[in-house]
């Protein structure tokens, strides 16, 4: 088959399977499997594609047509401009979460003003998954001291691999929330914990409910299980003027704010994302 025929086979198959961004995905998979870029494609659309590559492409298109996430096939997702390695052990980093990094950096710059010259701001990323938050923070703010926690050893393997590929010096800790975190105090604890209500999981896209790790999504009965625990336990791990910063689901701002207030956090701020949805809650001790 020619390049053009192969691509149109890919697009057709994905459209028929109801894949939202069929054209983009079919193209990205062709590029992934053949290494052929846009320019080359448009110059030689009628060139024959190597038989083995073509067969491989068909296999990947078949996978994607079953709603298997594109990022688990290509093993990559961009986040904050960095290429993160991902596989089925971790949630695929979401663009909304970039806002969490940016807002955390605002808090970091305020904290920096209060610290003495040679002290570094200490950040803990709770439920790090692929490590996207912790690693991006470290890469963009070299002087930070960053630790990152996850309960899953498989997720930590991915996070460590990302830290190595991107040359980020982050300390990873295997721990069920704060259980194995030594009693150090942090300036900032940041977290994008699992926050979907168990009953809502079945409503998610097949890509998410069928293939992403349920442990990274499931916030139990009311979706607030991890906020409750992290808020309660973080108090002993935050410095006196420490800050806790969360990504939240669009309908969780009131409940998470209340949890923070009840735990004695003095300042609570809710921040909207670009779609105007409540996305971030910041609590100051
Ligand atoms: N912190 C990771 C992310 O934002 C993983 C989040 C999770 O597993 N709930 O992508």
């Amino acid at each position: 088959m020619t390049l053009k025929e192969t691509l149109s086979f890919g697009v057709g198959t994905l459209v028929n399977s109801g894949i939202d961004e069929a054209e983009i995905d079919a193209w990205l998979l062709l590029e992934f499997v053949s290494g052929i870029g846009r320019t080359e494609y448009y110059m030689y659309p009628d060139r024959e594609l190597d038989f083995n590559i073509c067969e491989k492409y068909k296999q990947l298109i078949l996978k994607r047509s079953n709603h298997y996430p594109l990022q688990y096939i290509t093993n990559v997702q961009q986040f904050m401009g960095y290429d993160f390695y991902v596989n089925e052990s971790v949630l695929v980093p979401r663009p909304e979460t970039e806002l969490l990094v940016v807002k955390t950096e605002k808090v970091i710059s305020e904290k920096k003003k209060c610290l003495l010259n040679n002290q570094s701001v200490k950040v803990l990323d709770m439920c790090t998954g692929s490590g996207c938050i912790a690693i991006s923070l470290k890469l963009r703010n070299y002087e930070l001291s960053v630790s990152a926690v996850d309960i899953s050893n498989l997720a930590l393997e991915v996070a460590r691999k990302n830290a190595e590929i991107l040359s980020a010096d982050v300390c990873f800790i295997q721990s069920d929330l704060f259980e194995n975190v030594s009693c150090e105090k942090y300036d900032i604890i940041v977290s994008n914990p699992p926050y979907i209500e168990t009953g809502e999981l079945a409503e998610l896209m097949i890509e998410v409910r069928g293939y992403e790790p349920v442990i990274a999504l499931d916030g139990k009965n009311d979706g607030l299980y991890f906020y409750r625990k992290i808020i309660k336990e973080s108090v002993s791990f935050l410095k006196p003027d420490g800050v806790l910063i969360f990504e939240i689901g669009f309908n969780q701002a009131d409940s998470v704010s209340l949890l923070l207030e009840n735990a004695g956090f003095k300042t609570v701020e809710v921040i909207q994302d670009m779609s105007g949805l409540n996305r971030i809650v910041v609590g100051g001790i």
Side-chain angles (χ1 to χ4, degrees):
M1 285 209 292
T2 65
L3 282 173
K4 201 168 149 190
E5 287 164 348
T6 311
L7 182 61
S8 100
F9 160 82
V11 175
T13 311
L14 295 188
V15 166
N16 289 337
S17 315
I19 301 296
D20 279 346
E21 297 189 312
E23 299 212 358
I24 298 176
D25 287 10
W27 166 257
L28 289 173
L29 287 175
L30 183 61
E31 191 174 38
F32 173 70
V33 86
S34 68
I36 292 169
R38 281 270 180 207
T39 319
E40 199 178 342
Y41 174 83
Y42 284 115
M43 280 172 80
Y44 312 106
D46 296 319
R47 203 176 78 188
E48 283 293 315
L49 187 62
D50 175 88
F51 177 81
N52 290 326
I53 294 182
C54 194
E55 289 304 300
K56 180 86 191 147
Y57 183 65
K58 287 180 186 163
Q59 279 172 23
L60 298 187
I61 285 291
L62 183 66
K63 259 190 154 173
R64 184 69 191 106
S65 70
N66 288 321
H67 293 259
Y68 189 74
L70 178 85
Q71 296 89 336
Y72 290 158
I73 301 177
T74 58
N75 290 122
V76 67
Q77 173 62 46
Q78 273 224 343
F79 183 83
M80 297 304 291
Y82 305 110
D83 280 347
F84 280 87
Y85 170 86
V86 290
N87 65 22
E88 286 186 41
S89 304
V90 297
L91 201 75
V92 176
R94 306 292 203 262
E96 305 89 91
T97 306
E98 295 186 333
L99 184 63
L100 183 62
V101 172
V102 173
K103 293 296 166 191
T104 304
E105 288 179 339
K106 267 193 122 173
V107 181
I108 292 168
S109 62
E110 283 156 26
K111 290 270 161 267
K112 266 202 237 164
K113 290 182 206 151
C114 310
L115 288 176
L116 298 171
N117 281 344
N118 55 353
Q119 276 187 309
S120 50
V121 177
K122 290 182 67 169
V123 181
L124 180 76
D125 174 23
M126 182 53 80
C127 309
T128 197
S130 62
C132 62
I133 298 169
I135 294 171
S136 303
L137 283 173
K138 178 65 190 175
L139 291 173
R140 289 159 56 93
N141 306 272
Y142 190 71
E143 69 293 345
L144 282 187
S145 149
V146 184
S147 302
V149 168
D150 207 281
I151 190 172
S152 155
N153 274 315
L154 289 174
L156 284 172
E157 262 178 40
V158 172
R160 286 202 176 94
K161 182 174 172 129
N162 280 318
E164 197 180 317
I165 297 170
L166 295 165
S167 303
D169 181 13
V170 173
C171 166
F172 292 101
I173 306 163
Q174 188 285 325
S175 176
D176 182 358
L177 300 180
F178 291 95
E179 204 171 86
N180 301 334
V181 179
S182 60
C183 40
E184 260 182 88
K185 301 267 182 185
Y186 296 89
D187 295 288
I188 299 165
I189 296 176
V190 56
S191 183
N192 176 24
Y195 59 67
I196 315 281
E197 290 174 35
T198 307
E200 298 284 319
L201 289 171
E203 310 296 320
L204 301 173
M205 296 165 68
I206 309 178
E207 276 81 350
V208 182
R209 69 176 146 87
Y211 303 103
E212 294 205 273
V214 96
I215 189 183
L217 298 164
D218 188 355
K220 315 234 175 179
N221 274 350
D222 62 357
L224 300 171
Y225 176 86
F226 291 98
Y227 296 114
R228 231 174 250 121
K229 285 203 90 166
I230 295 171
I231 289 171
K232 190 166 164 232
E233 295 173 25
S234 68
V235 179
S236 344
F237 291 88
L238 281 171
K239 290 189 187 168
D241 55 351
V243 172
L244 180 54
I245 175 161
F246 283 126
E247 177 173 317
I248 53 160
F250 71 97
N251 56 357
Q252 294 173 321
D254 289 345
S255 340
V256 175
S257 300
L258 193 65
L259 287 172
L260 284 163
E261 282 157 17
N262 290 344
F265 281 79
K266 287 195 204 80
T267 57
V268 177
E269 186 193 359
V270 177
I271 297 163
Q272 281 86 38
D273 63 16
M274 291 211 294
S275 335
L277 299 174
N278 289 331
R279 182 58 70 187
I280 306 232
V281 179
V282 191
I285 273 194

